[in-house]
Amino acid sequence: MPTIKVKGMSCQHCVASVTKALSEIEGISEVKVNLEEGEATFIEGSPVAKDTIKDAITKIGFEIVS
Ligand SMILES: [Cu+2]
């Protein structure tokens, strides 16, 4: 399962925003965000470009740490 590190999440609202943004990407499902670890995992049903994920996260004000 792909895991990404998301920087800037501080509360459950952030978690909800990140979960929503990732879930809305075509091909991504089963998004789980861990606030303490600052991580998001998901199932990639079809290949998703890294930039697509990055754009979705930065658009809502967070940052992906790689
Ligand atoms: Cu928050």
Side-chain angles (χ1 to χ4, degrees):
M1 207 157 27
T3 301
I4 55 170
K5 288 252 177 204
V6 182
K7 207 169 120 183
M9 295 190 295
S10 59
C11 71
Q12 288 302 324
H13 289 113
C14 303
V15 170
S17 302
V18 170
T19 303
K20 183 167 180 282
L22 289 174
S23 300
E24 281 172 352
I25 298 171
E26 205 178 315
I28 287 183
S29 61
E30 304 282 334
V31 180
K32 285 193 181 70
V33 177
N34 185 317
L35 180 61
E36 284 84 47
E37 303 290 333
E39 284 178 354
T41 58
F42 49 86
I43 289 173
E44 213 172 331
S46 54
V48 178
K50 270 199 166 142
D51 279 353
T52 304
I53 296 172
K54 201 179 171 187
D55 286 354
I57 295 294
T58 50
K59 205 194 285 179
I60 57 167
F62 302 101
E63 207 181 313
I64 289 189
V65 191
S66 45

